[in-house]
């Protein structure tokens, strides 16, 4: 059963507004959510298998280890997953919740109906008994309208929360806290602050996959907004911002250029070496996220990390 909270035109309208705002700003920026067309999603999958990109495999093995403890602490009968994508790490939580009591339903939520279709098809084969309520929604806007067919554990994995700037993160957490009923809980996957060399390597891999992923946003604009970015004329830049404790990805124009975006009726100029910020990926510490959760009305009740302290799973309650 598919629930659609996102109007078909909503994503395009958001792209139009975001691209105009970001590309006429100084410095220029683009939101990371437009990386993920079919090609971008494939490139991201490839990133998760790179030797330098530790977060995905670290989160997976941590989840495999502690899912039963999380399930016991959450006491939920519904797993709702925000940004579920291919739902490939979800199995650990589903098994653990089923083992801990009664698992009533799985609710994957994603902006991509294609990703949801694939995940649902796989689940129908691997878990034919499990009721799946898949929801096409933008979790920045539809938190209050998400289904609650029982007491929920809301999972937001992959450190995707790191893509929000601090102010957006605060309002996202507040929105989540408001959407949760007493007794429901939130599970966050959080990439932790560590040696900047490892962070930079994770976002600037030697095979150049992340560079290709980064440039993909320009291909998306070329296609969706009839733009004429010369994709190959942009260099991938990945920098650690020590003050804000986030990784930043940028695209640097290797020469001056004029870019026409016919779909926006907009022409922009880029100077040589001018950069467009395409992503921030915040890294976390327990001492920092705990007060942020508290400010949103959420109580940190569980904290698990891998042995190297690279990655955390945080459980919070309203
Ligand atoms: C999917 C947003 C968690 O920030 O690490 C991977 C995306 N960007 N390599 C991240 C990403 C560059 C990823 N998130």
């Amino acid at each position: 059963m598919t629930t659609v909270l996102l109007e078909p035109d909503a994503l395009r309208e958001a792209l139009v507004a975001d691209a105009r705002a970001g590309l006429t700003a100084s410095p220029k920026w683009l939101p990371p959510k437009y990386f993920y067309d079919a090609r971008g999603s494939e490139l991201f999958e490839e990133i998760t298998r790179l030797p330098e990109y530790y977060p995905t495999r670290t989160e997976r093995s941590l989840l495999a280890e502690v899912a039963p403890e999380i399930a016991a602490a959450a006491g939920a009968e519904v797993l709702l997953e925000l940004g579920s994508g291919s739902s490939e790490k979800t199995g650990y939580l589903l098994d653990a919740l089923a083992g801990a009591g009664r698992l009533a339903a799985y609710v994957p939520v994603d902006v991509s109906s294609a990703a949801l279709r694939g995940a649902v098809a796989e689940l129908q084969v691997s878990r034919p008994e499990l009721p799946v309520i898949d929801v096409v929604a933008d979790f920045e806007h539809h938190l209050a309208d998400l289904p609650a067919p029982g007491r929920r554990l809301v999972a937001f994995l992959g450190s995707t929360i790191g893509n929000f700037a601090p102010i957006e993160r605060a309002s996202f957490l507040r929105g989540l806290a408001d959407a949760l009923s007493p007794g429901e809980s939130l599970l966050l996957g959080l990439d932790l602050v560590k040696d900047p060399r490892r962070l930079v390597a994770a976002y600037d891999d030697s095979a150049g996959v992340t560079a290709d992923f980064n440039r993909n946003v320009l291909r998306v604009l070329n296609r969706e907004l009839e733009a004429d970015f010369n994709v190959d004329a942009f260099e991938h830049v990945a920098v650690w911002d020590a003050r804000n404790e986030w990784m930043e990805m940028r695209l640097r124009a290797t020469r001056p250029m004029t870019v026409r975006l016919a779909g926006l009726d907009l022409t922009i100029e880029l100077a040589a070496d001018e950069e467009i910020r395409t992503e921030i990926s915040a890294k976390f510490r327990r001492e920092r996220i705990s007060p942020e959760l508290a400010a949103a009305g959420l109580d940190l009740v569980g904290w698990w990390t891998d042995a190297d302290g690279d990655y955390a799973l945080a459980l919070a309650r309203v």
Side-chain angles (χ1 to χ4, degrees), residues 36 44 47 53 158-160 163 203 210 213 249 279 281:
Y36 301 92
F44 177 66
I47 287 173
Y53 194 79
S159 205
T160 303
N163 274 173
Y203 290 82
T210 308
F213 172 75
M249 296 210 307
E279 181 174 53
S281 187

Side-chain angles (χ1 to χ4, degrees), residues 32 35-36 43-44 47-48 50 53-56 157-164 189 191 202-205 209-211 213-214 236 247 249 278-283 311:
F35 286 133
Y36 301 92
L43 285 167
F44 177 66
I47 287 173
T48 65
L50 292 169
Y53 194 79
Y54 59 85
T56 309
L157 300 175
S159 205
T160 303
I161 194 171
N163 274 173
F164 290 124
D191 194 14
Y203 290 82
D204 193 8
D205 62 280
V209 183
T210 308
F213 172 75
N214 194 8
H236 170 65
M247 282 299 304
M249 296 210 307
T278 51
E279 181 174 53
I280 67 161
S281 187
K283 304 305 164 189
Y311 199 93

Side-chain angles (χ1 to χ4, degrees), residues 100-261:
R102 203 177 68 90
L103 173 63
Y106 173 51
V107 184
V109 180
D110 206 283
V111 285
S112 162
S113 53
L116 282 172
R117 260 197 305 280
V120 170
E122 274 181 38
L123 283 163
Q124 273 163 356
V125 175
S126 59
R127 298 169 194 266
E129 319 281 64
L130 177 69
V132 176
I133 305 169
D134 55 312
V135 183
V136 183
D138 182 342
F139 48 69
E140 281 182 69
H141 303 298
H142 302 115
L143 289 176
D145 308 318
L146 296 174
R151 187 202 284 199
R152 296 172 297 184
L153 168 61
V154 173
F156 192 36
L157 300 175
S159 205
T160 303
I161 194 171
N163 274 173
F164 290 124
I167 290 177
E168 300 164 347
R169 186 163 72 228
S171 62
F172 175 71
L173 288 173
R174 164 68 66 183
L176 264 176
D178 291 346
L180 295 178
S181 300
E184 295 190 316
S185 32
L186 167 68
L187 180 69
L188 290 175
L190 300 171
D191 194 14
L192 300 177
V193 174
K194 58 181 58 62
D195 184 341
R197 283 169 298 191
R198 288 186 57 215
L199 288 167
V200 170
Y203 290 82
D204 193 8
D205 62 280
S206 57
V209 183
T210 308
D212 203 19
F213 172 75
N214 194 8
R215 283 189 283 260
N216 191 59
V217 73
L218 299 182
R219 286 184 209 113
V220 170
L221 296 196
N222 282 352
R223 186 184 61 236
E224 300 296 327
L225 300 177
E226 299 152 84
D228 62 1
F229 282 98
N230 179 352
V231 176
D232 298 325
F234 285 83
E235 254 168 31
H236 170 65
V237 178
V239 288
W240 170 242
D241 181 330
R243 194 172 60 87
N244 290 308
E245 296 191 320
W246 67 49
M247 282 299 304
E248 204 166 301
M249 296 210 307
R250 305 173 190 159
L251 289 165
R252 181 186 291 151
T254 54
R255 48 187 166 74
M257 42 182 117
T258 301
V259 180
R260 175 76 190 152
L261 295 100

Side-chain angles (χ1 to χ4, degrees), residues 253-275:
T254 54
R255 48 187 166 74
M257 42 182 117
T258 301
V259 180
R260 175 76 190 152
L261 295 100
L264 297 182
D265 193 16
L266 174 70
T267 303
I268 59 165
E269 307 286 340
L270 286 119
D273 295 328
E274 184 173 345
E275 294 174 337

